[in-house]
Amino acid sequence: MLSDDVILGRLDSAVTAARNAGDHILNQDISGIRVSPKGLNDSVSETDFAVEEMISDYLREHHPEDGFFGEEQGESGTGNGEGGRWIVDPIDGTDNYIRGIPNFTVSIAYEDHSGRLALGVVFNPVQKELFTGVMGSGAFLNGNPINVSGVTDPSDAVSIIAPPRKNHERTSDYFRLMEDIFLHTRDVRRFGSAAQDLCYVACGRVDAYYEMGLHYYDIAAGMVILSEAGGRYSAFSDSEVLTEDGNILATNGNLQDWYSEKIHDTMGA
Ligand code: IPD
């Protein structure tokens, strides 16, 4: 168990690193940004690399005992083995960023030395929204406590159901799921930053979020914020463990079983 001082020090560092990263992102002229392909429907911009380097330099300087795992650098620093590990997505929602759509976030999580997630910070620099969560101490948006919604009836629910843009072989299953959920709930959304999507469930803007094929760095910080706001996430209705293919269902808790059943029926997992 980490002491409060250690965790609060790490939280301060994560917030500063995320805000510095946000300033850098906003200072770039996106019309001149170099973008390279990374895989099917996946790209990386030069800003992603620059921001990840800024964040890792800052965190390494202030916490040399910690390891570092980032989307662009991978496992790039092991610390001295006495600290924990940072998990960083420098820009979650790169496609939105390069098109000037204001739904992208800097996502920073911290795991203690036993690998348990201890805190998460998700920052949208355009909207100036800073989501934070520390295990056992609640979740906050710009310093104000947040909670998941109290919606219990699926017909009142609004959910984010993200298409399988990197798993095209699941397209028809996805649209069957989308149709089923759409017909039984109030509406469906798609914003394009997994970290932010989890925070939107956490603060009650939406009631559920489902996406396939995510990576740990997309969701680690958001998972802390969501669970501290009273939400649930899982790959299966009876498990808190994410599948290896990175599928995640996150809800306000009340609706977990309902969405989970729909996903099992349509997607088989
Ligand atoms: C992406 C975002 C997006 C999701 C993609 C992710 P990235 O992260 O989280 O919401 O649909 O699957 O890859 O690549 O922009 O960091």
Side-chain angles (χ1 to χ4, degrees), residues 62-101:
H62 289 82
H63 306 286
E65 62 276 40
D66 293 339
F68 186 89
F69 174 57
E71 174 171 10
E72 314 309 339
Q73 302 177 5
E75 200 83 53
S76 65
T78 52
N80 65 10
E82 285 173 18
R85 183 173 74 139
W86 296 97
I87 299 108
V88 172
D89 189 342
I91 303 181
D92 183 56
T94 300
D95 277 352
N96 282 345
Y97 165 65
I98 57 189
R99 286 173 175 75
I101 300 169

Side-chain angles (χ1 to χ4, degrees), residues 38 41-44 48 71-72 89-96 103-105 162-163 165-167 190-197 209 211-215 217-219:
K38 242 169 87 168
N41 294 329
D42 202 7
S43 355
V44 58
D48 293 66
E71 174 171 10
E72 314 309 339
D89 189 342
I91 303 181
D92 183 56
T94 300
D95 277 352
N96 282 345
N103 281 315
F104 56 85
T105 53
R165 62 181 195 142
K166 297 178 200 161
N167 304 80
R190 159 62 159 160
F191 296 111
S193 162
Q196 180 175 272
D197 292 341
Y209 163 52
E211 182 158 0
M212 287 170 270
L214 291 167
H215 296 280
Y217 46 73
D218 295 317
I219 53 179

